[in-house]
Amino acid sequence: MRALRILLVVVVVLGGLFVLADRLAVNFAEGEVADKLKTNEGLATTPDVSIKGFPFLTQVVGGSLDDVEVGIKDYEAATGTSGRTIRLDDLNADMKGVDFSSDFSSATASSATGTASITYAELLKTAKSEPTQVVQGVTANVVGLSDGGNGKIKVAVEATVLGTKLPQPVYVLSTVTVEGDTVRVHADSLPSFGGVQAAENEVRSITDFQQKIDDLPGGIKLDKVQAGTNGVEISVKGSNVNLAG
């Protein structure tokens, strides 16, 4: 019995040491991948990297990780216009089947899904902010975006008719969609400005707008978008996503 107790103590101690070694190893690997990702993507801050699954060391031996989660608080995405970016908040991606080199200098995920958001204030920068002539004697511009409910964006349009600014903005509900790397906002119906009607193309030049979002981390792409309480909620996905190297 005494020998059995000693054996059990040894097993427990060795098990504890293995768990400790496993956690130290995973923490090191998370730091290495985070640093590489920060460098590769030119991030201002180090992203959060979490390697899931236990034990980690057996995954290392196999050269592949089952699940890696990456979180970037603020990401400045390219817009296709030189010098202009758009800020994505809370970009989180779940990477599956991550193959890596022995020194973690390169890592590629077979697939990835994730989420992010763009505040209405950030998206508003895309809309036409300077008063533009809609029809003779009428100018208008978008002055606000907010949650319209039921997955719609409420667009506030300020108008001036014959030199007099309307006392209240004109509001329209708009649908937000994604086509390739571009987010599009399209008015469901057209407003009139102080009873003045204008051609559809002229009105839509004000109410409708689009924003290209390019060069996301690792080559992930836009998938779906929907209007939310505080901004546009984005889903992303990708394959053969490059985490490092």
Side-chain angles (χ1 to χ4, degrees):
M1 288 296 294
R2 184 171 182 274
L4 180 60
R5 285 197 297 271
I6 293 173
L7 178 61
L8 289 174
V9 170
V10 170
V11 169
V12 170
V13 171
L14 290 177
L17 291 175
F18 175 78
V19 171
L20 177 61
D22 192 80
R23 294 302 88 190
L24 289 174
V26 77
N27 287 339
F28 171 79
E30 288 171 345
E32 288 294 300
V33 173
D35 289 341
K36 289 291 184 181
L37 187 57
K38 178 184 179 182
T39 300
N40 288 353
E41 300 297 336
L43 303 177
T45 60
T46 304
D48 294 325
V49 174
S50 178
I51 298 175
K52 304 298 182 181
F54 179 83
F56 166 71
L57 292 174
T58 59
Q59 296 182 69
V60 171
V61 172
S64 180
L65 304 175
D66 296 333
D67 190 355
V68 178
E69 293 182 356
V70 175
I72 302 174
K73 187 65 176 176
D74 301 310
Y75 183 78
E76 296 293 334
T79 63
T81 301
S82 179
R84 283 192 58 195
T85 61
I86 186 167
R87 190 184 74 251
L88 274 63
D89 295 327
D90 299 320
L91 176 58
N92 297 296
D94 187 9
M95 314 287 188
K96 302 292 186 182
V98 180
D99 295 330
F100 58 90
S101 62
S102 59
D103 61 354
F104 299 103
S105 61
S106 65
T108 304
S110 61
S111 64
T113 57
T115 59
S117 64
I118 303 174
T119 65
Y120 287 124
E122 189 73 8
L123 188 61
L124 181 61
K125 298 175 184 178
T126 302
K128 191 168 290 185
S129 58
E130 293 298 324
T132 302
Q133 182 170 291
V134 177
V135 68
Q136 186 66 36
V138 178
T139 60
N141 61 294
V142 175
V143 295
L145 304 176
S146 59
D147 180 19
N150 298 317
K152 302 289 186 179
I153 295 178
K154 184 166 72 172
V155 180
V157 182
E158 190 173 77
T160 298
V161 180
L162 299 176
T164 301
K165 183 180 293 186
L166 297 183
Q168 297 292 333
V170 177
Y171 294 98
V172 294
L173 290 179
S174 298
T175 298
V176 58
T177 58
V178 61
E179 296 180 21
D181 59 3
T182 302
V183 174
R184 301 184 186 276
V185 177
H186 182 83
D188 294 350
S189 59
L190 299 179
S192 64
F193 304 102
V196 178
Q197 299 291 336
E200 179 175 352
N201 289 344
E202 298 299 330
V203 176
R204 289 200 179 278
S205 71
I206 305 298
T207 61
D208 297 6
F209 53 94
Q210 62 187 41
Q211 176 61 68
K212 184 176 181 180
I213 299 176
D214 200 7
D215 197 25
L216 294 178
I220 57 177
K221 302 294 184 181
L222 300 179
D223 184 26
K224 299 175 183 177
V225 291
Q226 180 174 314
T229 302
N230 300 309
V232 175
E233 298 168 355
I234 299 173
S235 297
V236 298
K237 66 178 181 180
S239 57
N240 297 320
V241 176
N242 183 23
L243 274 77

